């Protein structure tokens, strides 16, 4: 019976696919995160105080049971078998995250301010990443990133250089007209990062023709800034997928 | 004669290419959608009331005839041959969409409010997607998406995590200065989603230097958010196109 | 001597590379376009009237000589050899564009309004595209586009559907609060196209929480809208480059 | 001992990896750049004047020592061995950049205005690019760019053409209503470049329906403008990575 439970609870127990137990757990974590996010909106908490109290309690009970179940079947996983296997499991990465996600409710009972609790509750989201443990996907993506770390680093350096060059130019050109927005390189960086990432808030824009000329060049360079890492990742993923096919 | 009509009317009857009948049908659907969209603009309807009445009637007649033609030749398609073939056709996906697209005009005669009619009329656009039935293109794209569903799911989870982390940071930093825009995580999410997708409306921006620092990091992370699915899709499509070439 | 001139003037005469004659011609065209663009700025024309008059005259003489040279060596190109070769050259695509680019100056002398002249002058830019004639690059890019025309068409249809669905949602939600911006589907389309293309002007944004929720989903869908054609093109180019390597 | 130092100091001495000496040097350069950037913010300099004075002096001493070390071990590099090897090293690209990065402090002592010093200090960032010398990454990326220079040039020309066409259209349509923003093609270019690069500041937007229609088309064309170079780079990188694998 514990073996059956292990197959349902431990995502790494199955060669492929996800058990319905873990699918439900993922869904519950997503809902719990949504509730935690909504709880920061004071007008909602004031309107439905009992809903959030009940939801917090319910999620604590559910995830506490889930934690106990995972701890119960842990020794069936070869990594946590043998003596001290359960203790090693408790200090494994995902178990610690599971525990951290349970803390806010306990700490609230201990009277800590709700402010940091909200932040801690966010760690629950990381639990969702467990979903990935059961596939090659994480390894494929991570391997692609790692194999092209130098190329990605170079494109990050080029981006940094572009950021500094463009913010320096705009600082030199626009500082006199708009001291608040371009009065120093750190201030001009706010405009520069918004432009190079093609976000373009538009709260700060150059007003002189020569400033707009350099801003236009920066915007075009921003396309390159997006294209380079995208191209590197696309090629790295393509490489990784081909290697994967070759292995089969 | 019905066989000839079948070849002209049924997009799946031809191995390659699109018949001029279906090309005209697609063009008419696009025009009908355009008219339906323009009809929501009250100033236009008030200015040219007869134009929209005539257009609606005309399109109903045209698409009713088209529906009857498709129903008439349906049994020549192996999928809808035999007894009850036509009835099976009526309940097939595209035939139902064709019928839904005809409903607004009939319901208008039945006195239903024009409000929902406009919404229903939008379904006509889906009819255009029939265009794709006759090529491998849908299958190639769909297959590429499906084969990399885990990688795409992971990048969606990373995006969700980035959304929550960045909105939480901005909420902690900017809540005091701009309670309307950053007073809770759900409110900060509006800024966060606009930044991470590199849309950048600029209606809400951080005002403190520390907030702008984290916003800059968020904007740079936004590039990664765009680059990752693009790279995965590029690699998946590349894989699919190569497999397709290998099959030939 | 004509053979030497042909080698220098006709971009298709060389197997690889670009002659210094054509490099200078391309540079001059770019400068001429720049001058034509600046000429639309009335304050500049008022400040330096003689500069623009001299520049226009000079560029006319230069490009007229270039046109005559090209016409003179045209018969050495196998496509335009034999009888009527020169006449066939005059009516070839690039020669017609060269001639159109010369018209504004002549028409100005004929007293036509300067308004359309400015527009016609823009055709000169197309002349730059001649640069591409001498490489495989155009054919490789064009072939890649053509080979994946169905996939690109499907992503265009998906984009159109997203545009209509998102603008309809925002119209239903925000029409009451902001009739000017979201009072009809055509009006909401302006917001929708700015969001889905991740441009995000921010002149029009949803104000209600539910509207912002759907706008956020639209912005995320916008990433897909950018990622899909980029991925298709990346895969198509990858395919084309590989085929090109295989041919060698 | 000098051989050991050479292995630690010269990035090209090692076949793979980066020595801890160079890792520390890179970290220090990044911190020095950060300090130089912060120094342009007058409010910070006024608040902590001694911090910036000490930091500038310290960085000068550190990088002067680094420069001497590199000069000391230079002859062990085959490129700079033999007679005049050190002198040839002094005039090599990276050594000149190292020297330029040291100049601001010396010039400040010579009484030059701080204005240009700040600009010169930016050159230090280029020193970080030395990081790349020790890997194939630069060569792979550069080779990919070079091998597809014609395709990238074509997409730049298409971008230029789109810029000019869209700004001309908006100038024709919106010039009457907004002479400040669209009164000439150069003015309309500011809007055009912001839209086509999908930056979208939103400080200038078309107000007429027909202007918004063309702006929407421009925004959609902007996706193509981003997708084309991204696709070309992705395919070129994919090609380069495959060639690299084939060489092993």
């Amino acid at each position: 019976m514990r073996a059956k439970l292990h197959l349902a609870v431990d995502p790494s127990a199955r060669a492929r696919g996800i058990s319905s137990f873990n699918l439900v757990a993922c869904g519950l974590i997503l809902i719990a995160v949504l509730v935690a996010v909504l709880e920061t909106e004071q007008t909602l908490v004031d309107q439905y105080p009992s809903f959030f109290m009940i939801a917090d309690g319910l999620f604590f009970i559910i995830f506490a049971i889930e934690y106990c179940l995972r701890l119960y079947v842990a020794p069936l996983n070869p990594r946590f078998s043998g003596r001290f296997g359960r203790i090693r499991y408790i200090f494994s990465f995902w178990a610690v995250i599971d525990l951290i996600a349970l803390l806010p409710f306990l700490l609230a009972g201990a009277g800590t301010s709700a402010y940091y609790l909200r932040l801690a509750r966010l760690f629950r989201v990381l639990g969702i990443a467990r979903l990935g443990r059961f596939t090659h996907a994480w390894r494929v993506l991570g391997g692609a990133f790692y194999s092209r770390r130098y190329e990605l680093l170079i494109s990050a350096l080029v981006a940094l250089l572009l950021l500094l060059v463009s913010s320096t130019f705009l600082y030199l050109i626009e500082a006199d007209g708009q001291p608040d927005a371009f009065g120093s390189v750190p201030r001009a960086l706010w405009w520069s990062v918004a432009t190079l990432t093609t976000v373009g808030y538009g709260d700060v824009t150059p007003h002189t023709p020569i400033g707009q000329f350099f801003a236009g060049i920066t915007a075009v360079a921003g396309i390159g800034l997006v294209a380079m890492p995208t191209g590197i990742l696309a090629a790295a993923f393509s490489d990784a997928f081909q290697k994967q096919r070759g292995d089969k």
Side-chain angles (χ1 to χ4, degrees), chain A residues 70-233:
Chain A
R70 291 195 192 281
L71 189 60
Y72 174 64
V73 301
L76 289 176
N77 186 330
R79 275 181 59 208
F80 305 113
S81 65
R83 232 186 339 168
F84 305 123
R86 276 218 179 84
I87 285 152
R88 261 185 290 130
Y89 175 76
I90 287 169
F91 291 102
S92 72
F93 184 64
W94 294 111
V96 167
I97 282 171
D98 280 346
L99 203 62
I100 287 171
L102 287 171
L103 284 181
F105 188 82
L106 296 175
L107 290 172
T112 320
S113 87
Y115 185 74
Y116 295 105
L117 279 176
R118 282 169 192 152
L119 196 64
R121 208 169 264 139
L122 199 80
F123 279 96
R124 275 189 196 164
V125 188
L126 284 168
I128 301 165
R130 281 174 306 192
L131 191 66
R133 259 189 294 177
F134 73 102
T135 54
H136 302 290
W138 267 118
R139 227 171 310 149
V140 167
L141 292 183
F145 266 96
Y146 185 76
S147 71
R148 296 297 158 195
R149 62 196 176 285
Y150 295 124
E151 281 86 358
L152 290 169
L153 202 70
I154 284 172
S155 75
L157 283 176
V158 170
L160 192 69
L161 201 63
L162 276 174
L163 265 179
L164 286 169
V165 168
S166 69
S167 55
T168 301
F169 267 105
L170 267 285
Y171 153 64
L172 293 178
I173 296 162
E174 297 276 333
D176 293 330
Q178 304 185 72
D180 275 352
F182 294 102
S184 69
V185 172
R187 288 178 197 197
L189 269 169
W190 172 241
W191 167 85
S192 196
V193 78
T195 300
L196 275 172
T197 57
T198 76
V199 168
Y201 290 119
D203 55 342
V204 177
T205 50
H207 293 163
T208 61
I210 189 89
Q212 293 186 337
F213 176 74
F214 278 105
I217 289 173
T218 304
V220 171
I223 288 184
L225 203 72
V226 175
M228 241 180 100
T230 306
I232 293 168
L233 284 183

Side-chain angles (χ1 to χ4, degrees), chain A residues 31-54:
Chain A
I31 296 166
V33 167
L34 184 67
V35 169
V37 162
L38 291 175
E39 219 167 334
T40 63
E41 175 69 53
Q42 201 53 43
T43 57
L44 278 173
V45 175
D46 291 346
Q47 227 176 333
Y48 313 102
S50 54
F51 168 77
F52 285 104
M53 258 181 61
I54 293 166

